[in-house]
Amino acid sequence: AQKVTQAQTEISVVEKEDVTLDCVYETRDTTYYLFWYKQPPSGELVFLIRRNSFDEQNEISGRYSWNFQKSTSSFNFTITASQVVDSAVYFCALSDSKLSFGAGTTVTVRA
Amino acid sequence: DVKVTQSSRYLVKRTGEKVFLECVQDMDHENMFWYRQDPGLGLRLIYFSYDVKMKEKGDIPEGYSVSREKKERFSLILESASTNQTSMYLCASSSLTRASSGNTIYFGEGSWLTVV
């Protein structure tokens, strides 16, 4: 069974629009961590953010923000005022007994 | 800066060939991982290692083996390559002692393998 679900396969926006990426996860563990990674065309996965299961406080870091809702098992990620350089594949990941990734969402930002 | 280096960026191999994918990290991390990435499937864990000479199967180990003779090096081996192993392979490392932790996993740039 899929542990991490990213329902959006592709998102296309015009520069300066906001982009929200959805992530729903499934785990029986009470202690776990959630991540977002970015994979630009070069291929290397770049760590963006991390949140542990005991901290539901949502934060903003520059143009990135995230919304962790334990009650709905969701960990959504928003890019504010998108730029062309934000074009990439974004992966949500869950670390409980092992690290599981979603299928990824391809974001295309058009100038 | 953290560095995970995969020796080959692009490879083309014939069916039945033995293939070695090499990965080296310079962070003295205990843990190393091999994933494969396929469209629509995300990243799937093949094997991981928590220490030298130690290995554990991930979600899709069939058709693969690994070797960890030195802490910094983790090799993925395809004993007899098949066309369904055409994929992008990603190596990663972390300082975790267990998979369930908040420590960051660092990835290499990936190796694109085509089996013809």
Side-chain angles (χ1 to χ4, degrees):
Chain A
Q2 186 81 4
K3 296 188 73 172
V4 181
T5 303
Q6 294 179 250
Q8 304 147 308
T9 305
E10 295 183 27
I11 298 176
S12 181
V13 298
V14 176
E15 211 169 15
K16 297 184 183 177
E17 286 185 8
D18 295 348
V19 179
T20 294
L21 308 179
D22 298 332
C23 174
V24 175
Y25 62 91
E26 178 186 332
T27 182
R28 293 181 179 178
D29 290 0
T30 55
T31 301
Y32 54 89
Y33 291 81
L34 296 159
F35 300 81
W36 276 98
Y37 281 85
K38 172 183 179 181
Q39 185 180 41
S42 61
E44 181 177 353
L45 268 81
V46 177
F47 165 75
L48 295 177
I49 56 175
R50 168 180 66 234
R51 180 59 70 196
N52 74 55
S53 54
F54 296 106
D55 184 1
E56 288 192 72
Q57 182 177 353
N58 296 309
E59 292 185 16
I60 297 173
S61 175
R63 294 189 298 110
Y64 298 154
S65 62
W66 50 94
N67 185 354
F68 177 29
Q69 300 272 348
K70 207 168 179 179
S71 59
T72 56
S73 297
S74 66
F75 185 53
N76 298 338
F77 174 65
T78 297
I79 305 170
T80 302
S82 62
Q83 301 174 3
V84 172
V85 294
D86 294 327
S87 296
V89 182
Y90 290 82
F91 290 96
C92 179
L94 164 71
S95 178
D96 47 13
S97 57
K98 58 184 177 184
L99 185 64
S100 302
F101 285 82
T105 299
T106 301
V107 174
T108 302
V109 181
R110 307 185 308 276
Chain B
D1 258 1
V2 164
K3 194 69 175 175
V4 178
T5 304
Q6 294 182 227
S7 57
S8 302
R9 194 85 166 99
Y10 300 96
L11 304 95
V12 179
K13 298 291 182 181
R14 294 190 180 278
T15 300
E17 274 193 75
K18 190 169 185 176
V19 181
F20 292 87
L21 299 179
E22 305 287 346
C23 175
V24 176
Q25 50 96 1
D26 64 0
M27 298 157 285
D28 201 34
H29 282 167
E30 291 84 6
N31 307 306
M32 297 188 74
F33 309 83
W34 274 106
Y35 289 86
R36 65 177 281 178
Q37 180 180 356
D38 300 287
L41 297 176
L43 277 72
R44 292 179 292 167
L45 182 63
I46 305 171
Y47 268 97
F48 58 101
S49 169
Y50 289 140
D51 202 351
V52 176
K53 296 192 185 293
M54 176 272 173
K55 60 184 178 184
E56 286 195 28
K57 294 179 180 179
D59 297 319
I60 52 164
E62 295 78 20
Y64 304 95
S65 63
V66 290
S67 172
R68 184 120 183 247
E69 295 297 319
K70 293 184 178 180
K71 189 177 185 180
E72 67 271 17
R73 187 179 297 271
F74 192 36
S75 303
L76 180 68
I77 304 157
L78 287 67
E79 294 290 341
S80 178
S82 63
T83 54
N84 63 14
Q85 291 178 310
T86 292
S87 185
M88 164 118 154
Y89 291 86
L90 286 158
C91 176
S93 75
S94 76
S95 62
L96 302 170
T97 53
R98 290 182 57 82
S100 56
S101 172
N103 285 4
T104 302
I105 292 182
Y106 297 91
F107 286 85
E109 287 189 330
S111 298
W112 290 93
L113 171 65
T114 301
V115 182
V116 298

